[in-house]
Amino acid sequence: MFKPSAKIVVVPLAWIGLASASYAGPVYETGSGGTFTYSGQFNLAFTSFDDGEETTDQFADNESSNSRIGFRIVQPFGDNQLTFRFETAFGFAASDEFSQTSEPDDIDWDRTNLRHVDFQYKTGFGTFYLGQGSMASDGIGDRSLAGTGLASAVSIGDVAGGFEFRDSTGALTGVEIGDAFANFDGTRAGRVRYDTPEFNGFTLSLAYGENILSEGNDDEFYDIGLGYEAEIGTTEIEAGLGYQVRERPGSADREDVFGSVSVKLQSGVSLTFATGERDTAGTYFYGKIGYEADWLAVGSTAVSLDYYSGSDMVSVGDSSDSFGIALVQDFDQQNVEAYIGYRDYSYEDDTAATFQDASSFIIGARWRF
């Protein structure tokens, strides 16, 4: 039988796909020395998009870190450890699914909302994974120590990715924010994966996976990720470099190279840089400067400014630029992070069309349990 333990566990970074700090519920111990832990979060937000002609408002699930629930069962075997992980999103209407012409159902859960259904076996020779979960390079392209990822990150399309630019006549152009401001990163799939033991802050990961959740999609993935985490004196550093091949039956195969690095000083100032290139598309560069301080007794406050520049994303010769500003306030005792963010977007291509600038706004809160 499971019995509650007196301690609360913070889930290690390696368990959560390189996401931000995570909260886990109470630990229940088994008679065989194993443990059961559940965790989850709700992350609902109000978003607004102004395309230069009209403004569209909606309440949505923030796709930068969607609402989800899951559990882990951990069983030691001598010096080794076997973990079963299950995690699913709730299927709420996502912030990147809205557009000027359509909106998703309030709740529409299907099996593509399954994030993790996998086994992990940790040994002295590394960690082995089997099942639906993160590929080797998942999270490599968006490492950041700024603390504002809920409202502003390199994954710009998370907030308003489905909306289209309008031209000078007010007509929709078909050019979506998510395409013009793409970021390249690893994915989740039904995979086999291997992580080496950590060595001087470095970890190398390899994986092969298939899209097993979407009907009629037989895409296959191969990737490699090199991660680095360290504290040098009072300076924190996170970095990663990833390479992914996606084989798409009936379409051209795709290769992505991407990476990110983030440095945080003792003063609370952080600098983040990310870049990526796709052989069938274009290239982007992203930079962020952040500052985190304990201005309020309830928890830390993080603010940031960022800039994205992309080229050849939708068509050869195009360019996309975006500036963003964000604030995230932690409420430690309540396990809540409240946030607000603003972003503007501009786009142009080699055609005679003139695209109107656009902007978006998001305000919301993530509660973890």
Side-chain angles (χ1 to χ4, degrees):
M1 296 179 60
F2 291 115
K3 59 181 180 179
S5 169
K7 60 184 178 181
I8 299 295
V9 172
V10 176
V11 179
L13 186 64
W15 285 8
I16 56 175
L18 307 177
S20 58
S22 178
Y23 172 81
V27 174
Y28 296 88
E29 297 180 350
T30 69
S32 59
T35 59
F36 171 90
T37 308
Y38 69 86
S39 62
Q41 63 184 42
F42 288 99
N43 187 14
L44 304 179
F46 171 80
T47 64
S48 179
F49 184 81
D50 183 352
D51 60 20
E53 295 286 333
E54 63 181 36
T55 300
T56 307
D57 303 328
Q58 57 274 318
F59 287 95
D61 200 34
N62 187 345
E63 185 62 18
S64 65
S65 180
N66 59 17
S67 299
R68 65 190 69 158
I69 191 168
F71 65 86
R72 292 177 179 82
I73 300 175
V74 181
Q75 180 65 49
F77 290 94
D79 294 332
N80 302 329
Q81 179 178 282
L82 178 65
T83 299
F84 174 73
R85 179 180 182 183
F86 175 87
E87 185 177 81
T88 179
F90 289 107
F92 300 148
S95 54
D96 65 344
E97 295 179 341
F98 289 86
S99 73
Q100 292 98 331
T101 59
S102 65
E103 62 180 70
D105 295 334
D106 291 339
I107 301 178
D108 186 20
W109 188 94
D110 61 32
R111 63 186 184 182
T112 62
N113 292 115
L114 291 171
R115 296 170 54 84
H116 291 272
V117 185
D118 72 316
F119 291 91
Q120 308 169 20
Y121 191 60
K122 185 176 181 180
T123 74
F125 302 100
T127 304
F128 302 85
Y129 302 77
L130 177 64
Q132 173 69 23
S134 294
M135 293 286 291
S137 59
D138 188 20
I140 289 291
D142 59 4
R143 292 195 163 192
S144 175
L145 294 167
T148 59
L150 291 172
S152 176
V154 65
S155 52
I156 289 175
D158 285 345
V159 172
F163 286 94
E164 300 177 28
F165 283 99
R166 291 186 184 270
D167 63 20
S168 57
T169 69
L172 294 174
T173 63
V175 178
E176 296 184 358
I177 295 295
D179 294 331
F181 297 89
N183 70 294
F184 308 142
D185 194 29
T187 187
R188 290 185 299 275
R191 88 294 194 224
V192 290
R193 169 177 162 176
Y194 168 70
D195 293 357
T196 67
E198 181 270 334
F199 179 74
N200 289 337
F202 289 95
T203 302
L204 182 67
S205 303
L206 305 166
Y208 162 78
E210 298 182 5
N211 190 328
I212 62 175
L213 298 181
S214 299
E215 293 185 6
N217 187 327
D218 297 321
D219 290 1
E220 298 182 9
F221 303 87
Y222 307 83
D223 71 344
I224 181 171
L226 178 64
Y228 177 73
E229 296 181 21
E231 292 187 12
I232 302 176
T234 58
T235 300
E236 298 178 56
I237 302 174
E238 287 190 9
L241 181 64
Y243 171 73
Q244 177 178 259
V245 176
R246 182 172 184 171
E247 295 184 349
R248 303 182 294 173
S251 301
D253 294 344
R254 196 169 73 189
E255 296 183 21
D256 297 336
V257 180
F258 45 88
S260 60
V261 59
S262 189
V263 178
K264 186 175 183 181
L265 307 178
Q266 184 181 22
S267 63
V269 173
S270 64
L271 298 172
T272 300
F273 176 76
T275 185
E277 182 176 11
R278 175 169 291 168
D279 65 336
T280 60
T283 303
Y284 67 88
F285 298 93
Y286 174 85
K288 176 190 283 191
I289 181 169
Y291 180 68
E292 187 170 7
D294 294 323
W295 290 330
L296 303 176
V298 295
S300 64
T301 306
V303 294
S304 69
L305 293 169
D306 69 5
Y307 171 68
Y308 174 106
S309 176
S311 59
D312 304 327
M313 284 297 181
V314 179
S315 61
V316 175
D318 72 4
S319 63
S320 50
D321 296 275
S322 177
F323 290 90
I325 182 171
L327 181 148
V328 177
Q329 176 62 55
D330 285 355
F331 295 87
D332 294 338
Q333 291 189 352
Q334 293 77 26
N335 301 310
V336 169
E337 299 149 282
Y339 54 87
I340 184 171
Y342 170 84
R343 181 170 297 283
D344 64 26
Y345 314 86
S346 62
Y347 177 81
E348 61 182 29
D349 63 16
D350 283 345
T351 69
T354 299
F355 297 83
Q356 298 191 49
D357 292 345
S359 62
S360 67
F361 173 82
I362 185 170
I363 181 170
R366 178 173 69 174
W367 171 57
R368 296 168 295 159
F369 58 89

